[in-house]
Amino acid sequence: MSRISSHRLFTIALPLALLAGSVGAAESQRLTFVACPVFQDTNTVPCWLAEYQGETYFLGIQTDSGGWTPPLQGHQVLVESVVTAQPRVCGGIVLASAGSVFDKRPSGKSAGVDLPQPPVISTMRELDSSCRTMLPENPRYNTLEPRRGPGPGNAQIAGLQPNAGAPRAAAEPLKPPFAAKTFELHYEFDSELAGLTINKLQEALKYADDIKAKAVEVVSHRASVKLSNGKQLDEIPKIAELRAKELANVIRMFGLPKGTELKVRFVADAQVGNGIDDWTRRRSDIIVTP
Amino acid sequence: MRHYSIPAAIAASLALSVLLGSHALAQATQADQREWVRAGQGGVLPAETAFNNADGKSGIFNVKGAVDMKGHPFFEVLGTNGRACVTCHQPSDAMGLSLASIRQQWQSNGGKDPLFAPVDGANCPNLPREEAKSHSLLLNRGLIRVGLPWPPQPRNGVPTEPEFTIEVVRDPAGCNTDPVYGLTSPKPTVSVYRRPRIAANLKFMTYEVGPFNAKRLAMINDRDPFTGKYMSMNIMSDAREPSLRTQAISAARDHLQVKDEPSADALDRIVNFESQLYAAQVDSRVGGSLVEKGGPEALGPRNLDKQERGLGDNFGTPLFHSFAMWNPASSEARAQREFRESVARGNDVFFKRPFYISDTTHINTVGMGNPMKRTCATCHNSNMVGTDLSAGWVDVGTTNLPYARVTLDNPWSEAKAELPLFKITCNAEARPHPFLGRVIYTQDPGRALISGRCVDVGSIVMGQFRGLAARAPYFSNGSAATLRDLVDFYDRRFNIGYTTQEKEDLTNFLSVL
């Protein structure tokens, strides 16, 4: 990209960023709630909806694994979202991400419009057998063009070759002086499995190995969510400990370089939620020190 | 051909007919006569050969040529009970073990056949060897006892703390409550009963991967202690063995009752043999040769050798390739033509016909939602073998209630529950099983016996789809007696609503693999 165009891009991006930053106004457009997920089939892939205070909201569509994680029936779902002005999809007001770690590609289009990045959702830990609403295909909602349909994919997605997923041999060894680095892993509410951000752990372990770190420290946190109805929803008391234990086990199984010390701690008090970026506090930090 | 004394055979078949009813006995004797390779018999296993089964013929192909079975550790008696690996991995049964062969051995030799060694060829080692009912799980469902230590052993050097307790709710076989062999014995053991899996086509099953498990995200794959490599974790119902080498060591210990671990040389020869061997159906009774020139690229053992591992849940590289040349088929005989067209349609049903996949751990829970609208090939996605390319343990409901097949005791029939039933109670802080919660009833906790995890209860590693016709019954617990039964299981389990035609097509398709 030439200098000029990147500069221009910058000047255009700035007001936009300011706009996004001024979303104190948009706080009213945040929507955070717990509800039963509703499955609405279409002539292609199903839509995921949820009802809150008498209104139907659209969460997202079935996708490939690894991008968004749609809800599970048999459980309630926690939705942390921003309300959009997009045309309804599958009858629901379209909710979008309030900033998340998920796949950035649109999962498809509805009536020709790209679907937004879906909201952050968490499958609640315990079962709720009342969450079983499945709605059959409805011709009115047959507007989806999903990136992946209900059958096999369109082309070969990278298969598992030997060593796939293995940290690649560093092209050039890193040179000292090394800095301490922190790697952040995020979680679904009440979950100790750092699903979609587990690549951060891989990065942390690779960095620890590259610099033959003096220490790798795990610090796990517990958070609350401020729901749109004003209530604070706390994660289970043990969750920080479980997160720390889980990560420590994975790190031990992977193995650290000789001489690298593993330190593990957790903060059991729940950090108070603000209803804006609560998902960022359901977190473990991995601090790698040279 | 074996020689046996008539009285022994009569006594044995009488005992069997009492156990099975004479109908099953007739089936075992006529339609499906198998060629049995006896441990230590010597002779040569040809590089390429075929064996009869009820649906046609299955074949094996050894890329390194014929094997002298004399002195070969896969075929020789290595331990103290007269068995070899081949005892449970028979060339005529696509390197698995069919119920037809098991019953044939019982009829020929009764309980003294090494297959019926009490260690795991009986419901429990302490039962009288000569009685058929001591071996009812093997004779009725083709199941071998697998005794696993409880609590689980450390993995990758890290101790495994179980998240749940196990109680024995029902124990028809008596082993789990036995004071010497059971859960409360000095060496606490959980006995589950499982089908032998196939010792061929293994390049598709076990291979080196990266450290992080693609599907179970917060998990490190097991390493092969001999090479230090991270492995695919796709062999054994519970993936407890990382490599063919560690598998062979434990098989020699548990099934062959060896005094000393096999030598490095013997292990090399076993692993090499398993890695050179391909097995698949080669001939269909109605459909004719499955390996003609210009025929489907998925069929026959030679094509397994030619093909490589890969993800086949896509239209670019469909896992069982194309059956277009059979749709329409150009055979002379009508029955053959119709069968081939049915197989081609069956592949489409398998590959493209969506249904609502629901309440399966490690599939619905790995990012696609519950339920999801997908096909058989979503779970069974690996080129040529139909397993899951990323470590494939899944609770599809074969062993967990409410979906597992159970025989309910009742006053009107002799049929009795045969498998043990366990009650799993998860700790309050454990992540519960995502669809069954914290109290689970199961015939086989599967992966959970190794991982100690509540979420893994009832998760079983998918077995390969090859040579199926040669080795009924199906699923790890032998709960589907025929391929049609297996299709019916899915139809019920996911409320698919297959038409009779679709069921038949799918069954025919599976029978030629």
Side-chain angles (χ1 to χ4, degrees):
Chain A
M1 199 184 268
S2 77
R3 256 177 191 209
I4 299 171
S5 62
S6 70
H7 174 74
R8 210 182 277 155
L9 220 139
F10 179 67
T11 50
I12 295 168
L14 195 62
L16 264 176
L18 280 175
L19 218 111
S22 70
V23 179
E27 214 177 314
S28 57
Q29 294 179 309
R30 303 266 167 178
L31 198 59
T32 305
F33 63 95
V34 177
C36 281
V38 172
F39 176 98
Q40 167 71 63
D41 204 359
T42 76
N43 63 339
T44 57
V45 295
C47 282
W48 283 99
L49 306 171
E51 276 172 28
Y52 178 65
Q53 295 188 339
E55 183 55 270
T56 301
Y57 293 94
F58 167 79
L59 309 179
I61 61 171
Q62 174 182 301
T63 62
D64 256 330
S65 58
W68 183 54
T69 304
L72 303 183
Q73 289 213 323
H75 296 259
Q76 296 203 19
V77 62
L78 165 68
V79 180
E80 296 172 84
S81 70
V82 174
V83 181
T84 76
Q86 263 184 248
R88 284 180 184 251
V89 178
C90 283
I93 293 175
V94 177
L95 299 182
S97 165
S100 82
V101 295
F102 301 132
D103 193 343
K104 297 286 191 292
R105 290 174 300 168
S107 54
K109 296 174 192 287
S110 171
V113 181
D114 274 347
L115 295 171
Q117 225 192 317
V120 174
I121 68 148
S122 302
T123 290
M124 301 304 272
R125 194 176 176 95
E126 302 301 324
L127 268 63
D128 184 336
S129 57
S130 66
C131 296
R132 286 283 174 184
T133 307
M134 281 180 72
L135 303 175
E137 189 187 325
N138 177 334
R140 278 194 298 156
Y141 305 146
N142 289 345
T143 59
L144 297 180
E145 300 160 55
R147 195 168 77 215
R148 174 162 184 169
N154 290 325
Q156 162 102 38
I157 319 165
L160 278 189
Q161 301 304 327
N163 279 324
R168 299 228 171 81
E172 267 175 56
L174 297 178
K175 291 198 189 85
F178 302 121
K181 273 197 195 176
T182 300
F183 300 82
E184 277 186 22
L185 282 74
H186 299 283
Y187 297 83
E188 287 190 16
F189 189 86
D190 269 354
S191 173
E192 63 273 47
L193 304 176
L196 293 169
T197 49
I198 198 73
N199 59 321
K200 295 289 175 200
L201 172 62
Q202 299 186 40
E203 286 171 26
L205 291 170
K206 176 165 184 327
Y207 187 63
D209 193 51
D210 285 348
I211 69 167
K212 303 287 171 256
K214 191 155 153 247
V216 168
E217 184 177 17
V218 171
V219 188
S220 295
H221 301 274
R222 171 180 176 229
S224 298
V225 169
K226 186 180 175 197
L227 300 173
S228 293
N229 67 10
K231 288 197 182 123
Q232 289 275 341
L233 190 67
D234 288 345
E235 292 193 282
I236 54 171
K238 276 240 173 183
I239 199 67
E241 185 180 342
L242 293 176
R243 282 173 182 154
K245 201 164 100 183
E246 188 72 40
L247 269 184
N249 266 346
V250 174
I251 293 171
R252 280 191 200 106
M253 282 196 200
F254 184 82
L256 287 174
K258 258 213 178 77
T260 303
E261 188 192 355
L262 176 62
K263 301 184 203 166
V264 183
R265 64 192 177 88
F266 57 89
V267 184
D269 289 339
Q271 298 183 60
V272 176
N274 59 11
I276 297 171
D277 56 1
D278 296 338
W279 58 274
T280 61
R281 282 175 288 279
R282 300 193 293 268
R283 199 177 77 231
S284 290
D285 297 328
I286 304 179
I287 305 153
V288 181
T289 38
Chain B
M1 203 49 214
R2 288 149 316 280
H3 297 277
Y4 46 79
S5 71
I6 303 283
I10 292 174
S13 66
L14 270 176
L16 191 67
S17 58
V18 167
L19 189 72
L20 307 169
S22 49
H23 176 66
L25 181 68
Q27 264 186 351
T29 49
Q30 291 157 14
D32 210 0
Q33 194 69 33
R34 301 294 172 108
E35 282 175 55
W36 181 263
V37 177
R38 184 168 41 82
Q41 74 175 37
V44 169
L45 184 71
E48 194 164 14
T49 183
F51 305 90
N52 289 323
N53 56 49
D55 284 321
K57 284 185 167 62
S58 69
I60 55 163
F61 171 53
N62 188 323
V63 293
K64 291 285 163 74
V67 172
D68 189 352
M69 295 190 279
K70 181 140 195 71
H72 193 294
F74 192 89
F75 298 93
E76 290 291 351
V77 175
L78 300 183
T80 52
N81 60 17
R83 284 175 175 168
C85 303
V86 75
T87 306
C88 297
H89 299 282
Q90 288 281 327
S92 67
D93 297 0
M95 300 308 286
L97 184 64
S98 66
L99 193 53
S101 293
I102 294 166
R103 290 175 176 180
Q104 192 177 290
Q105 286 316 102
W106 180 265
Q107 271 183 267
S108 305
N109 308 327
K112 64 179 191 296
D113 190 290
L115 176 58
F116 300 100
V119 62
D120 58 3
N123 299 351
C124 199
N126 57 3
L127 298 171
R129 182 166 182 164
E130 60 288 356
E131 285 178 27
K133 71 173 192 301
S134 307
H135 310 277
S136 62
L137 286 163
L138 187 50
L139 287 168
N140 292 348
R141 304 173 66 127
L143 301 176
I144 297 290
R145 188 180 70 90
V146 176
L148 296 167
W150 186 256
Q153 311 277 301
R155 288 197 314 115
N156 290 343
V158 177
T160 313
E161 281 171 54
E163 294 176 343
F164 55 84
T165 56
I166 304 187
E167 289 163 73
V168 182
V169 176
R170 193 157 64 205
D171 192 28
C175 220
N176 282 294
T177 44
D178 188 88
V180 179
Y181 298 100
L183 200 47
T184 54
S185 69
K187 263 174 60 187
T189 301
V190 177
S191 286
V192 288
Y193 298 84
R194 294 178 179 164
R195 296 279 296 131
R197 295 160 70 94
I198 96 172
N201 313 329
L202 289 166
K203 75 175 177 199
F204 294 98
M205 304 296 289
T206 175
Y207 41 89
E208 186 188 358
V209 295
F212 287 86
N213 186 299
K215 208 161 79 183
R216 257 147 247 85
L217 295 154
M219 196 193 105
I220 300 291
N221 287 315
D222 284 351
R223 279 191 234 211
D224 177 2
F226 292 97
T227 61
K229 290 175 176 165
Y230 295 100
M231 299 301 289
S232 57
M233 303 189 73
N234 251 342
I235 56 168
M236 314 300 269
S237 305
D238 49 22
R240 67 185 179 278
E241 294 299 341
S243 71
L244 292 178
R245 208 176 175 88
T246 64
Q247 195 283 334
I249 292 169
S250 72
R253 180 194 65 211
D254 300 338
H255 302 306
L256 311 185
Q257 298 180 283
V258 292
K259 288 213 187 75
D260 303 306
E261 190 169 291
S263 66
D265 177 59
L267 291 172
D268 283 344
R269 292 180 70 195
I270 290 175
V271 171
N272 289 343
F273 170 73
E274 292 175 319
S275 309
Q276 292 154 9
L277 199 67
Y278 295 94
Q281 193 79 347
V282 292
D283 193 84
S284 156
R285 204 164 35 79
V286 190
S289 172
L290 305 173
V291 292
E292 303 173 331
K293 220 165 162 243
E297 265 176 34
L299 303 186
R302 280 183 175 265
N303 278 325
L304 280 153
D305 169 38
K306 276 190 214 136
Q307 294 280 334
E308 289 305 325
R309 184 172 63 245
L311 187 64
D313 181 17
N314 62 79
F315 290 105
T317 54
L319 68 154
F320 292 118
H321 303 255
S322 169
F323 287 78
M325 69 295 287
W326 281 4
N327 199 13
S330 60
S331 337
E332 313 257 305
R334 183 165 159 211
Q336 183 182 46
R337 195 175 64 235
E338 284 177 357
F339 184 87
R340 289 181 170 190
E341 287 170 358
S342 168
V343 167
R345 287 192 304 270
N347 177 53
D348 280 349
V349 173
F350 172 82
F351 191 62
K352 292 196 293 208
R353 161 84 151 84
F355 50 91
Y356 298 135
I357 299 172
S358 59
D359 296 2
T360 68
T361 321
H362 300 310
I363 289 287
N364 292 105
T365 53
V366 295
M368 283 173 283
N370 180 45
M372 63 203 238
K373 188 178 165 186
R374 281 286 187 89
T375 74
C376 301
T378 296
C379 296
H380 297 291
N381 55 42
S382 187
N383 190 30
M384 296 297 275
V385 287
T387 46
D388 188 348
L389 200 58
S390 56
W393 57 90
V394 168
D395 166 19
V396 75
T398 49
T399 70
N400 281 352
L401 268 52
Y403 300 111
R405 185 169 173 171
V406 282
T407 310
L408 303 179
D409 288 346
N410 69 75
W412 310 284
S413 103
E414 298 285 287
K416 290 264 179 284
E418 295 178 301
L419 288 169
L421 187 68
F422 303 99
K423 179 183 180 186
I424 306 287
T425 308
C426 307
N427 304 340
E429 72 184 42
R431 203 171 174 69
H433 184 289
F435 307 109
L436 300 171
R438 288 210 165 71
V439 177
I440 307 159
Y441 290 86
T442 186
Q443 298 168 344
D444 182 347
R447 178 67 189 167
L449 288 175
I450 308 304
S451 69
R453 299 265 184 174
C454 194
V455 289
D456 285 334
V457 174
S459 276
I460 304 284
V461 175
M462 298 169 200
Q464 6 172 342
F465 276 28
R466 305 314 303 239
L468 288 164
R471 53 187 180 89
Y474 308 102
F475 291 135
S476 55
N477 59 358
S479 55
T482 62
L483 288 172
R484 179 54 184 264
D485 263 4
L486 177 140
V487 169
D488 285 338
F489 166 82
Y490 282 107
D491 192 47
R492 282 191 311 270
R493 169 68 179 82
F494 296 124
N495 197 13
I496 300 177
Y498 282 140
T499 63
T500 311
Q501 185 68 61
E502 283 177 315
K503 287 187 186 177
E504 200 176 303
D505 293 344
L506 195 47
T507 305
N508 288 339
F509 163 69
L510 294 171
S511 80
V512 302
L513 296 174

